[in-house]
Amino acid sequence: MTAPAGGLAPGATATGWDAAVGRVVNPSDRRGGTLRLVSSADVDSLDPARTYYVWVWLLQRMLNRTLMAYPADPGPGGLTPVPDLAEGPGQVGDGGRTWTYRLRPGVRYDDGTEVTSADVRHAVQRVFAQDVLPGGPTYLVPLLDDPARPYPGPYRSTRPLRSVRTPDERTIVFHLNRPFPDFDHLMAQPCTAPVPRAADTGADYGSRPLFSGPYRVTAHRPGGLLVLERNAHWDPATDPVRPALPDRVEVTIGLDVDELDDRLLAGEFDINLEGRGLQHAAQHRVRADAVLRAHTDNPRTNFLHFVSIQPHVPPFGDVRVRRAVHYAADKILLQQARGGPVTGGDLTTALFPPRLPAHQDWDAYPTGPDLRGDLDAARAELAAAGLPDGFTAVIGTQRGKFRLVADALVRSVARVGIRLTVRELDVATYFSLGAGHPETVRRHRLGLIVTDWGADFPTEYGFLAPLVDGRQIKRNGGNWNIPELDDPFVNDLIDRTLHTSDPAERAGLWRAVERRVMEHAVLLPLVHDKTLHFRNPWVTNVYVHPAFGLYDVQAMGVGADAPGA
């Protein structure tokens, strides 16, 4: 099921609790008004090559177009990318190594210039410049680079990336060095949004980018406010994905999480863009009020909430110490820290979410029949590691639910003599310069890190490879392989998944990857997230996008009764 031009995919509509999960609430094609969004954190970057926050990716859908895009579809169809800038999906040749796209004519930036295939090529070349533009996904680098002559990006070399060709202004051809069946998914990532070479200012591009989507940024006060207004050169006839209903979008930034919830429930904002969900105080209030409860959704987001255990920070270099943390974890207490089984998430001992074919129910480190921890097993591991009295260490986190999880783990492992000090890191840069920056992790000796992860695209590769593929470790920030796991056996298994067309065989290989990773005990899975979202009743076209696990703000509008109408 795909979206009609400029609108939502057809489907059932509903109202009430969980109505926006798999369906559309308040369907409408009404144009005009102001959509008022809010976030506790600022955008990580407005440069499409540097953003990695999922909610900023959703915002980027309003600002920039890509060759492919996930359709405005609340159901399973939303998981399959459809043509956006391109006229059709990638045409595949050479055994899956060549992908060719043809651009739609007449797509223009907000300065009136037309988008060309050379602009898409330049955007891809920018991904290689990690010394200048760290932070975003880098899947394209190992697929398109020549190991014998590595491409350094467009700022340190005048030679183009030879694996990407542009025979004319509307055709682009990618020559991969190995098959990659998920390539259409990569072409839906913000980092492939076109960037004209003449407008590229390198590391400063995020301060004044060009926009190819229906909106442009007209004001950004970091930590305070972001304003989007219409791109006068956007032509809805060329865009099969975006309805672009509001005239203006305002994002208020930097509020304390509890203040944010209070003002959202009071109607000052329409939607929480960041998508972290209501905090505990607001959750209790909403669930006790029938009217408020009718405007909430509690989706399984497919995010994994977990703790990363750092083998390069002593004493966690000993796998027995890492296993002790696993055994000592009180899973019930940790789930309660997230909000309990209704709004905190489904307990898990595995990595893959249930919707992926490779999901398996298994437990490498059982924590007792009550899930409160196997303290005897934990103490035995510590004794074997020569630490029978435990040790001291630091756990990194951020404010809000992350901090509550950190505190719960502190209590869990204290029972076996592991004494943790909590260090809160900045929310806005948590993944770019904090937990996702190896130098920061080492400088603060963060042996444990509370984090979460949602797939860059909805396949096994998109979910797990960034967390465990040693070739995806990023030294300059935005690193998601936080424990810096680089196991050749894991890397080889991942490569083998790309060379099989048999879905059952591919799923089996991914299960083997997961088992091997869990043997290293560097990832402590906690819950597959569920989040309690609140939508004010005047917002139209509200649904949780299945590919992102959050509200798809680019599809939204505001009703005539909205404060921002």
Side-chain angles (χ1 to χ4, degrees):
M1 182 166 58
T2 58
L8 287 163
T13 63
T15 58
W17 167 271
D18 247 6
V21 180
R23 296 165 295 178
V24 179
V25 172
N26 295 340
S28 173
D29 59 1
R30 181 185 183 276
R31 294 173 62 85
T34 298
L35 182 65
R36 303 165 309 150
L37 307 174
V38 64
S39 171
S40 63
D42 205 342
V43 296
D44 53 349
S45 180
L46 288 172
D47 185 332
R50 304 187 70 174
T51 176
Y52 220 150
Y53 289 178
V54 63
W55 62 273
V56 183
W57 284 25
L58 285 163
L59 193 67
Q60 283 282 343
R61 283 162 64 83
M62 308 178 86
L63 297 171
N64 285 299
R65 298 181 61 183
T66 45
L67 289 175
M68 304 291 290
Y70 294 101
D73 188 331
L79 298 171
T80 302
V82 297
D84 182 6
L85 277 178
E87 293 181 328
Q91 298 299 302
V92 186
D94 189 24
R97 293 177 174 83
T98 300
W99 292 70
T100 302
Y101 298 86
R102 181 81 173 159
L103 274 64
R104 301 176 193 272
V107 179
R108 298 184 181 278
Y109 297 104
D110 60 308
D111 70 348
T113 58
E114 189 163 353
V115 174
T116 69
S117 56
D119 300 342
V120 178
R121 181 187 195 183
H122 185 65
V124 171
Q125 292 180 151
R126 297 176 83 240
V127 175
F128 286 74
Q130 287 299 299
D131 56 331
V132 178
L133 306 174
T138 57
Y139 296 100
L140 293 170
V141 174
L143 288 173
L144 296 172
D145 208 4
D146 179 359
R149 194 185 180 197
Y151 177 66
Y155 310 115
R156 291 201 290 128
S157 175
T158 57
R159 66 181 175 93
L161 179 61
R162 294 189 298 175
S163 53
V164 183
R165 307 286 186 183
T166 52
D168 57 57
E169 289 192 344
R170 291 180 52 206
T171 304
I172 186 165
V173 184
F174 298 89
H175 297 278
L176 283 58
N177 53 41
R178 64 179 184 272
F180 192 78
D182 294 338
F183 198 71
D184 272 344
H185 288 276
L186 299 188
M187 294 298 101
Q189 294 186 334
C191 62
T192 65
V195 175
R197 178 182 288 273
D200 185 8
T201 54
D204 295 327
Y205 182 70
S207 62
R208 297 194 67 180
L210 290 180
F211 301 104
S212 52
Y215 297 93
R216 61 192 182 97
V217 173
T218 57
H220 183 207
R221 189 171 72 249
L225 182 69
L226 181 70
V227 178
L228 279 56
E229 295 179 342
R230 291 192 181 278
N231 170 8
H233 297 282
W234 175 74
D235 182 357
T238 71
D239 195 331
V241 175
R242 300 161 184 82
L245 298 176
D247 290 332
R248 178 180 171 95
V249 180
E250 295 178 356
V251 185
T252 299
I253 297 165
L255 298 186
D256 173 79
V257 289
D258 290 315
E259 179 190 358
L260 185 158
D261 287 349
D262 288 343
R263 294 174 65 179
L264 175 65
L265 295 179
E268 292 186 46
F269 308 112
D270 302 328
I271 294 288
N272 179 350
L273 170 65
E274 191 179 8
R276 291 282 182 195
L278 298 174
Q279 301 298 307
H280 293 343
Q283 287 181 19
H284 296 313
R285 175 183 168 192
V286 164
R287 293 170 65 187
D289 185 314
V291 175
L292 293 176
R293 189 178 187 276
H295 300 304
T296 56
D297 300 291
N298 186 210
R300 290 174 170 83
T301 67
N302 296 313
F303 271 66
L304 175 68
H305 200 91
F306 65 100
V307 174
S308 176
I309 308 176
Q310 310 306 103
H312 49 273
V313 176
F316 297 103
D318 190 324
V319 69
R320 294 167 295 190
V321 173
R322 303 196 296 271
R323 288 197 294 253
V325 173
H326 278 258
Y327 284 123
D330 183 334
K331 298 294 182 64
I332 302 300
L333 185 65
L334 289 160
Q335 183 188 43
Q336 290 172 345
R338 289 291 301 162
V342 175
T343 58
D346 298 324
L347 277 172
T348 184
T349 55
L351 301 177
F352 286 119
R355 68 171 174 79
L356 290 178
H359 173 76
Q360 53 187 336
D361 290 318
W362 70 297
D363 191 351
Y365 306 101
T367 53
D370 61 356
L371 303 179
R372 292 289 188 174
D374 186 339
L375 303 187
D376 289 338
R379 293 186 182 104
E381 294 286 357
L382 290 174
L387 296 168
D389 299 323
F391 56 90
T392 60
V394 180
I395 181 169
T397 190
Q398 57 174 282
R399 67 176 185 262
K401 294 179 184 178
F402 277 41
R403 175 60 194 255
L404 297 177
V405 169
D407 291 341
L409 191 62
V410 169
R411 292 170 57 189
S412 293
V413 300
R415 298 176 299 172
V416 295
I418 301 175
R419 301 169 297 281
L420 298 180
T421 299
V422 178
R423 185 180 186 96
E424 281 194 15
L425 303 177
D426 176 61
V427 173
T429 60
Y430 190 71
F431 297 108
S432 57
L433 299 176
H437 200 296
E439 181 182 335
T440 301
V441 173
R442 285 170 169 77
R443 183 170 69 252
H444 296 306
R445 299 180 63 82
L446 305 179
L448 301 165
I449 296 173
V450 180
T451 188
D452 63 2
W453 168 255
D456 288 342
F457 45 94
T459 69
E460 283 89 354
Y461 188 99
F463 183 85
L464 195 55
L467 304 182
V468 301
D469 188 334
R471 296 157 298 187
Q472 294 196 34
I473 298 171
K474 300 175 186 176
R475 304 295 178 188
N476 296 320
N479 176 47
W480 286 97
N481 185 340
I482 297 175
E484 299 176 51
L485 179 65
D486 191 8
D487 180 346
F489 184 73
V490 168
N491 299 345
D492 179 65
L493 282 172
I494 291 173
D495 287 345
R496 287 172 59 191
T497 69
L498 303 176
H499 289 270
T500 177
S501 58
D502 182 343
E505 181 182 353
R506 185 182 300 117
L509 289 168
W510 279 113
R511 292 187 188 107
V513 171
E514 182 182 38
R515 289 185 176 275
R516 177 72 170 200
V517 169
M518 292 305 292
E519 288 176 9
H520 287 286
V522 293
L523 303 179
L524 169 60
L526 303 178
V527 297
H528 283 124
D529 240 5
K530 294 174 70 178
T531 305
L532 191 63
H533 298 297
F534 183 82
R535 44 180 158 79
N536 269 301
W538 50 78
V539 188
T540 64
N541 302 330
V542 184
Y543 67 93
V544 176
H545 199 293
F548 300 95
L550 303 177
Y551 288 139
D552 189 7
V553 292
Q554 68 82 26
M556 291 179 182
V558 292
D561 58 340

